[in-house]
Amino acid sequence: MIRLNVNGHDHDVDAEPDTPLLYVLRDDLALNGAKFGCGLGQCGACTVMVDGRAVFSCLTPIALLPGRNVRTIEGLGMNAVQQAFVEEQAAQCGYCIAGMVMRAQALLEHNPNPSEQEIRDQMAVNLCRCGTHMRILAAVRRAAGRGVKS
Amino acid sequence: MTAVLSRRTLLAAGGGLVVAFSLHAQEPKRPGSLKETPSLDAWIRVAPDGRVTVFTGKAELGQGLTTALLQIAAEQLDVAPNRIELITADTMRTPNEGFTAGSHSMQDSGTAILNAAAQVRGLLCDAAAAEFGVAADTLTTADGLVHAADGRAIGYGELAAKLNLHVDATANSPLKDPAAYRLMGTPMQRIDIPAKLTGGASYVQDLRLPGMLHARVVRQPSYGATLLDFDTGPIEHMPGVVKVVRDGSYLAVVATKEWQAIKAMRALAAAAKWQETASLPDEATILDTLQALPVKDIPVLTWQAQAGAPVKRLKARYSRPYLMHGAIGPSCSVAQFVDGTMTVWTHTQGVFPLRAALASLLRLPPDKVHCIHTQGSGCYGHNGADDVAGDAVLIARAVPGHPIRVQWMREDEHTNEPYGSAMIAEVEGAIDADGRIVDWDYAVWSNTHNRRPNIGGLMLQNAALSDKLPVPPPAPIPMPEGGGDRNSNPIYALPNARVVYHFIPQMPVRISALRSLGAYLNVFAIESFMDELAEAARADPVEFRLRHLQDERAKAVISLAAEKFGWSAGKRGDGRGFAFARYKNLAAYCAIALTLGVDHETGQIRLGRVVAAVDSGQPVNPDGIRLQIEGAIIQSASWTLYEQVHFDRKRITSFDWSRYPILRFPAAPDSIDVYIVPRPGLPFLGTGEAGQGPTSAAIANALKDAAGVRLRQIPLSAPAVKTAIGV
């Protein structure tokens, strides 16, 4: 058993310690937000926050996580970032979008007023194939204008 | 029996062409997919409590189709969109509308629902008129109620309880006046986005059924590889491993949890021994290799008329490499085999054709396979969606009772999905002294653009299984839609033109439908060449296009894009480019103007301002149209600047995003503005594939303007640009 704190709640998880966080979130905790995209840290579809930083959950074994705070899109409620994504209609198929929101959330918590270049550079880690980039950038700018609570 | 037999039924029954044609004159021409599925209750049902259910055989591929269909139904029925349930592609519940592909959904299903909803509303009004003893044309409808002028009202549910909607649609519908539309033509937020932003169960990847197990496949490392030996020793004591499934060169493993399945698959793969053959051609010379293969020549058009004497003649060759769909979410499916019936949750583009393919793969009758569309990651054509369903059913059959969830690994998707064909176009054109095109000779070489499975022989697994099904030969898609020749027929009014499609049956790599099919390369070639001819004629590229067009809607879209961009004739050299196409010469019109800059040190192209104009006929969700065009521009920019499938003599080597890079945020344009030419009341024109072709040529044309070099071979990669510029 490994104890994980996810979205403010402790969970005792029966999984092998090398299991990447992604599979525990999805299979053991039935959380849908983080997605399998590549398993290689190349696309960001699995992005969640650990202790306030954006990480690839597909590459983070749960053995590293006891005592840390894991945050997923399910833990945001419908906050300013998600609201901004709705208002900009910043999704097509939406498979990448939970990862985008978590990357944006981590960015805005550390840098509440990022420049356009800073937004693009931070979001560069996450891939979108539908071509929703302009909407996603607009959503991050919109959320930044409102302030994001950590 | 009053129902008129459809042509399809007669032809399928062997009624023959003579009978079919003799009936054709009497057959009412119903709009959209009502032609194939005429019964109103196949599309719309009204429950006694007034709840409305709408059915479509098309699927949500992440392009906002379901929202647009709800807008249409709600508009014509006068029921709020949130009071309508929409059921999408399901082989036991919905009409068979074939594939959700080719930008057809609004034309086929949107038109069917538009007309069915209007007819149902008409029948409800007729029933209310009888109930109230008044004339139907004195009644109004609002929010699920029929109102009489004297204040009486009756609900749709109460009326529908006494009404038979199991009747065939008529050819004409009591459609609303477009001027009175309140929902169609007005932006509506997508119904599926909130769940996708809050971790709701939105995708087949999110299905969790009781007793569900996870499986992974040890894929053949190269086309046709033979599994010589494997060892289950390393996985026998791994926790959670349930079963190894092997049939010929097909090898898969089932485990209780997903990570356990992945670890077991990797251990099996490490111990597996394969025999591979060097079956792939040399990547460096692939275009010449393809052009030298045997072809079937398909004449597309020949135009002959009097024209001025040619004074300048140009010739050019354009090409694209193999391109990948590259879904962000690798394909996934869940299947369960219970009491001889296979239920499959799939993000295929065609549940009915897939049902036939899976039934043949499993040697089951089609009625023992039930395919339910469940959203997946965007597919952009025929990717791994169908094949992963093949994995799920083969494994589920070996583990009856348990739902089996299979998701491909990244390298499975990258190396096994069927790619968009590499293509070559050669064009020769001449202008006269007045700067008019007087001659045009165009030839295009391509593999097929459709290997979508409707029989088991076309499934990926067939190459691995011991008992192989016959594989049908590839076939071209006939014009007017076309495959490799899609959009090879110029929209311009040219006095003399010859267009031929050299269809190449032999496929060195696995090929099928990639978004916009041949239109991407043909529009790239035609619209690049139009700029080359304009330059030869010393004409402004926008004016040069307009002088060769007669289609007023085409001219309107070009003029709007030029105006919004601030295109001024004669202003050149700042890295601006223009291009235009009407997708298939049948669907949406799209013109694009853009700017770009070139880093002379690296050859890297950086997109600046992009302006697009689009005519999609009657707009339903204008914001959806804009987003489709934005997406087309960015996806096409990625194809055009970066993408190319790499391979050695045995294997596909583009196995992940590092070996097949796509556009990332820093390279997104500075801005994209999309303007819509609304055409109230005119037919819907599919929009999802309208922007890809024009974007590619607008980039090439802007590169010529910015750096003075004309690149004709996609991708316009940084090294290619740097080489062309010289140092």
Side-chain angles (χ1 to χ4, degrees), chain A residues 52 103-119 122 140 143-145 147-148:
Chain A
R103 174 99 27 213
Q105 176 76 20
L107 163 65
L108 296 176
E109 285 186 15
H110 290 91
N111 182 0
N113 292 299
S115 67
E116 176 69 17
Q117 196 58 50
E118 285 171 328
I119 295 174
Q122 284 293 312
V140 179
V148 170

Side-chain angles (χ1 to χ4, degrees), chain B residues 108-351:
Chain B
D108 298 350
S109 208
T111 302
I113 290 170
L114 176 87
N115 285 277
Q119 293 187 28
V120 167
R121 180 177 160 276
L123 292 172
L124 290 166
C125 284
D126 290 346
E131 189 84 17
F132 291 150
V134 299
D137 61 8
T138 64
L139 298 170
T140 57
T141 52
D143 204 20
L145 292 167
V146 183
H147 296 271
D150 60 12
R152 285 181 293 171
I154 185 166
Y156 284 4
E158 198 180 325
L159 292 165
K162 299 177 213 163
L163 197 60
N164 178 19
L165 291 181
H166 190 62
V167 293
D168 283 354
T170 52
N172 297 307
S173 309
L175 294 170
K176 284 188 182 174
D177 176 356
Y181 286 165
R182 286 175 301 161
L183 293 167
M184 286 171 61
T186 304
M188 177 168 154
Q189 290 197 342
R190 289 254 304 264
I191 56 168
D192 53 327
I193 286 183
K196 290 172 175 175
L197 280 168
T198 51
S202 299
Y203 305 94
V204 67
Q205 283 88 349
D206 301 333
L207 269 186
R208 285 182 204 87
L209 301 175
M212 188 172 84
L213 301 173
H214 293 270
R216 287 292 183 279
V217 179
V218 181
R219 296 239 87 93
Q220 292 166 289
S222 54
Y223 298 133
T226 304
L227 179 61
L228 299 176
D229 192 21
F230 71 103
D231 179 10
T232 58
I235 68 163
E236 273 161 13
H237 300 292
M238 289 177 76
V241 172
V242 173
K243 192 179 178 79
V244 171
V245 179
R246 194 249 170 128
D247 180 345
S249 295
Y250 188 78
L251 184 62
V253 60
V254 185
T256 309
K257 296 172 86 168
E258 189 167 13
W259 180 242
Q260 294 167 335
I262 292 168
K263 282 204 290 185
M265 176 273 288
R266 286 181 178 159
L268 268 183
K273 293 188 173 51
W274 299 90
Q275 182 182 7
E276 298 179 68
T277 51
S279 63
L280 298 178
D282 183 355
E283 185 190 325
T285 52
I286 183 63
L287 297 174
D288 295 333
T289 302
L290 284 175
Q291 243 179 332
L293 289 173
V295 294
K296 180 186 170 196
D297 285 347
I298 301 170
V300 174
L301 62 84
T302 305
W303 295 336
Q304 276 181 302
Q306 288 292 325
V311 295
K312 276 187 195 165
R313 189 171 281 274
L314 301 182
K315 192 175 177 179
R317 180 188 195 237
Y318 303 88
S319 67
R320 60 172 258 192
Y322 295 110
L323 293 172
M324 192 180 284
H325 301 82
I328 296 300
S331 296
C332 182
S333 180
V334 177
Q336 186 175 22
F337 193 47
V338 177
D339 296 334
T341 295
M342 188 69 77
T343 305
V344 191
W345 291 265
T346 165
H347 56 105
T348 176
Q349 291 177 271
V351 286

Side-chain angles (χ1 to χ4, degrees), chain B residues 227-496:
Chain B
L227 179 61
L228 299 176
D229 192 21
F230 71 103
D231 179 10
T232 58
I235 68 163
E236 273 161 13
H237 300 292
M238 289 177 76
V241 172
V242 173
K243 192 179 178 79
V244 171
V245 179
R246 194 249 170 128
D247 180 345
S249 295
Y250 188 78
L251 184 62
V253 60
V254 185
T256 309
K257 296 172 86 168
E258 189 167 13
W259 180 242
Q260 294 167 335
I262 292 168
K263 282 204 290 185
M265 176 273 288
R266 286 181 178 159
L268 268 183
K273 293 188 173 51
W274 299 90
Q275 182 182 7
E276 298 179 68
T277 51
S279 63
L280 298 178
D282 183 355
E283 185 190 325
T285 52
I286 183 63
L287 297 174
D288 295 333
T289 302
L290 284 175
Q291 243 179 332
L293 289 173
V295 294
K296 180 186 170 196
D297 285 347
I298 301 170
V300 174
L301 62 84
T302 305
W303 295 336
Q304 276 181 302
Q306 288 292 325
V311 295
K312 276 187 195 165
R313 189 171 281 274
L314 301 182
K315 192 175 177 179
R317 180 188 195 237
Y318 303 88
S319 67
R320 60 172 258 192
Y322 295 110
L323 293 172
M324 192 180 284
H325 301 82
I328 296 300
S331 296
C332 182
S333 180
V334 177
Q336 186 175 22
F337 193 47
V338 177
D339 296 334
T341 295
M342 188 69 77
T343 305
V344 191
W345 291 265
T346 165
H347 56 105
T348 176
Q349 291 177 271
V351 286
F352 287 91
L354 178 64
R355 177 179 68 172
L358 296 178
S360 104
L361 192 69
L362 296 167
R363 278 76 168 172
L364 282 174
D367 65 354
K368 295 292 182 193
V369 179
H370 176 197
C371 291
I372 303 166
H373 185 268
T374 314
Q375 284 189 57
S377 184
C379 60
Y380 328 109
H382 174 198
N383 68 348
D386 297 281
D387 292 321
V388 76
D391 289 328
V393 300
L394 287 171
I395 300 165
R397 183 175 59 181
V399 192
H402 288 278
I404 300 294
R405 178 187 181 278
V406 188
Q407 184 165 17
W408 278 7
M409 305 304 291
R410 171 50 51 200
E411 60 271 25
D412 294 340
E413 189 79 32
H414 260 57
T415 61
N416 288 280
E417 65 146 278
Y419 307 120
S421 178
M423 292 175 64
I424 303 104
E426 291 182 355
V427 55
E428 193 172 338
I431 50 172
D432 66 9
D434 295 333
R436 290 199 156 268
I437 302 169
V438 291
D439 196 21
W440 180 275
D441 216 322
Y442 188 95
V444 57
W445 285 257
S446 177
N447 279 151
T448 182
H449 289 259
N450 179 17
R451 297 290 275 166
R452 295 179 184 276
N454 54 3
I455 56 168
L458 290 172
M459 299 292 294
L460 176 67
Q461 295 78 16
N462 190 55
L465 297 173
S466 50
D467 186 10
K468 290 181 178 31
L469 293 159
V471 181
I477 303 169
M479 289 295 259
E481 305 229 339
D485 47 352
R486 179 167 293 181
N487 274 95
S488 66
N489 47 336
I491 193 168
Y492 299 103
L494 309 174
N496 294 292

Side-chain angles (χ1 to χ4, degrees), chain A residues 14 16 18 26-28 32 37 42 82 89 92-95 120 123-125 129-130 134-135, chain B residues 62 190 196-197 203 205-206 208 257-258 263 324-325 380 410 630 635 643 656-657 664 668-669:
Chain A
D14 182 13
E16 293 127 74
D18 69 340
R26 295 190 59 85
D27 298 349
D28 296 271
N32 297 315
Q42 296 176 345
Q82 291 156 297
Q89 290 288 284
Q92 291 191 53
C93 83
Y95 195 88
R120 286 175 178 240
M123 300 303 292
V125 179
R129 186 57 162 167
C130 296
M134 308 315 290
R135 303 288 183 106
Chain B
R190 289 254 304 264
K196 290 172 175 175
L197 280 168
Y203 305 94
Q205 283 88 349
D206 301 333
R208 285 182 204 87
K257 296 172 86 168
E258 189 167 13
K263 282 204 290 185
M324 192 180 284
H325 301 82
Y380 328 109
R410 171 50 51 200
E630 289 175 37
Q635 191 173 66
E643 298 186 28
D656 69 8
W657 294 121
R664 290 182 183 267

Side-chain angles (χ1 to χ4, degrees), chain B residues 466-590:
Chain B
S466 50
D467 186 10
K468 290 181 178 31
L469 293 159
V471 181
I477 303 169
M479 289 295 259
E481 305 229 339
D485 47 352
R486 179 167 293 181
N487 274 95
S488 66
N489 47 336
I491 193 168
Y492 299 103
L494 309 174
N496 294 292
R498 289 159 304 282
V499 177
V500 62
Y501 175 22
H502 301 297
F503 172 73
I504 309 168
Q506 192 180 324
M507 296 170 286
V509 307
R510 190 166 188 243
I511 289 300
S512 193
L514 172 72
R515 206 172 192 189
S516 82
L517 310 190
Y520 170 64
L521 189 269
N522 287 319
V523 173
F524 174 71
I526 291 172
E527 288 296 295
S528 293
F529 200 62
M530 285 299 285
D531 259 43
E532 299 199 44
L533 289 172
E535 191 180 333
R538 300 179 194 284
D540 176 75
V542 171
E543 189 278 320
F544 187 73
R545 284 172 173 79
L546 290 171
R547 77 168 73 151
H548 288 96
L549 278 167
Q550 289 171 347
D551 183 325
E552 293 303 324
R553 291 173 75 173
K555 290 187 197 176
V557 161
I558 288 176
S559 299
L560 181 63
E563 177 208 322
K564 295 293 185 185
F565 179 84
W567 189 281
S568 48
K571 184 163 166 35
R572 306 293 290 161
D574 59 351
R576 55 178 58 196
F578 195 95
F580 160 80
R582 181 183 188 190
Y583 185 49
K584 297 187 271 192
N585 289 353
L586 297 168
Y589 299 79
C590 182

